[in-house]
Amino acid sequence: MHKWEGIDAFVSVVQHGSFSRAADALGVSKSHVSKQIVLLESRLGAQLLVRTTRKLSVTEVGQAFFLRCQDVLTTLTEAEDAVQDLQERPRGRLRITVAGAFGEDFIAPAAADFMGQHPGITIDIDFNNRLVDLIAEGYDIAIRAGTLRDSSLIARRICSRRLVTCGAPGYLERYGSPHDVASLVNHNCLVGTLNSWRFRDQQRNFDLEVNGTWRSNNGRALVHAATSGMGLVQLPDFYIRRAVDDGKLMPVLDRFKPTDTAVWAVYPHNRHLSAKVRLFVNHLAEVLPD
């Protein structure tokens, strides 16, 4: 029995949190993954995973083994990627995490176009609003917008993104158009994931806490509420562009637009950046509208 057999299956199970998702990621059957884990535990003489009908957890020994194996597999992947760089023919699975309509409208089409140019690449896109741990969960790239938190990850700007505050003509006729940021206290502000909106005065960008009778973590739901005349909304321009063009929404507070709301491709600080990641990020920077 080869000493490496079952390790990739074990690492994938821990990263994905289930046998089914690990099997999908590896392109094999769930039964094959389960068999590999059983053989690995038998060879090591230790239980790595605790499996019940409702829960999968990693033992203390399994967690220590996972961390070592993950480092080894990362090194092997980097070695393979170095060869790909020399050949300029990237291959393998590219795992991407992105949130919301921007991913649906822009990243997915760009990824499909990239696959057409590089047939050796397979792509796995996860649409998720949570802040993913790229290294622990095995992602190659995250697409994130706005102001980035400080981290050890590398971020490259791939396109601009403007935040627009707007309301329906009927709402503005009834309640008036806000002339400055302070006057938002007199308006019904339709709230998204955050409790604050972002603006800029003459010197700096800043966040302002707002309140209203509608909250949703879905941008298109917020657009619907705003066009229905329920209140003001602040969203990235790609959400509201069509409604503005059709006259269903009117921008307000334009002179207070923030200036630090770009879209970023974020990826781990590897010693050797893989060809597939480098080429895909370059592709996004070239094809995404600015």
Side-chain angles (χ1 to χ4, degrees):
M1 180 180 296
H2 195 283
K3 64 188 299 185
W4 293 104
E5 190 171 1
I7 288 180
D8 57 343
F10 168 68
V11 170
S12 187
V13 168
V14 177
Q15 289 176 338
H16 292 88
S18 84
F19 280 73
S20 297
R21 290 194 292 270
D24 290 341
L26 294 171
V28 298
S29 68
K30 178 182 176 181
S31 61
H32 176 79
V33 171
S34 180
K35 181 179 179 181
Q36 290 290 301
I37 299 299
V38 170
L39 292 174
L40 179 62
E41 289 179 324
S42 176
R43 187 168 80 251
L44 294 174
Q47 185 175 15
L48 304 176
L49 302 171
V50 177
R51 288 150 283 188
T52 67
T53 56
R54 294 185 177 182
K55 186 178 179 182
L56 172 69
S57 58
V58 187
T59 66
E60 183 178 357
V61 173
Q63 183 63 30
F65 188 63
F66 166 73
L67 294 175
R68 292 295 185 92
C69 291
Q70 188 180 42
D71 288 341
V72 170
L73 289 179
T74 297
T75 301
L76 289 174
T77 300
E78 290 176 358
E80 292 179 354
D81 290 339
V83 175
Q84 292 179 38
D85 279 346
L86 293 175
Q87 296 177 333
E88 285 298 323
R89 289 198 300 270
R91 58 182 177 82
R93 184 178 297 272
L94 186 64
R95 298 193 68 217
I96 306 161
T97 175
V98 63
F102 186 83
E104 298 171 10
D105 295 343
F106 296 101
I107 300 301
D113 182 57
F114 182 75
M115 280 188 64
Q117 299 177 28
H118 303 283
I121 292 290
T122 58
I123 288 182
D124 181 349
I125 304 181
D126 179 30
F127 292 90
N128 202 316
N129 286 321
R130 68 185 177 86
L131 190 62
V132 171
D133 187 328
L134 297 187
I135 297 175
E137 299 182 47
Y139 286 95
D140 297 298
I141 301 172
I143 307 300
R144 294 175 180 167
T147 304
L148 296 177
R149 300 177 182 177
D150 293 335
S151 75
S152 60
L153 302 175
I154 299 175
R156 176 176 171 185
R157 181 186 182 279
I158 54 176
C159 69
S160 64
R161 187 196 72 152
R162 293 181 299 165
L163 285 175
V164 180
T165 307
C166 53
Y171 174 87
L172 296 176
E173 184 177 345
R174 288 195 305 273
Y175 300 102
S177 179
H179 299 293
D180 54 38
V181 172
S183 62
L184 287 176
V185 70
N186 300 315
H187 286 271
N188 190 37
C189 298
L190 312 178
V191 184
T193 305
L194 303 177
N195 292 321
S196 61
W197 289 356
R198 194 152 182 84
F199 296 100
R200 181 173 180 83
D201 59 20
Q202 294 181 351
Q203 289 82 29
R204 63 185 179 89
N205 295 297
F206 64 93
D207 296 317
L208 177 73
E209 186 171 340
V210 294
N211 294 285
T213 59
W214 177 279
R215 175 184 292 275
S216 174
N217 64 352
N218 181 277
R220 291 193 169 103
L222 287 166
V223 171
H224 179 76
T227 55
S228 298
M230 294 177 61
L232 300 179
V233 70
Q234 184 181 86
L235 284 168
D237 51 359
F238 61 85
Y239 274 110
I240 52 85
R241 183 179 294 121
R242 179 174 297 180
V244 170
D245 291 343
D246 293 342
K248 296 180 179 179
L249 290 176
M250 297 179 61
V252 297
L253 302 175
D254 272 358
R255 63 191 179 97
F256 296 99
K257 282 183 182 177
T259 57
D260 61 344
T261 59
V263 180
W264 309 85
V266 181
Y267 45 93
H269 194 298
N270 291 334
R271 294 185 299 274
H272 179 87
L273 183 61
S274 69
K276 62 186 179 184
V277 171
R278 173 172 52 81
L279 291 174
F280 182 69
V281 172
N282 288 344
H283 177 72
L284 292 180
E286 291 173 1
V287 303
L288 293 182
D290 206 37

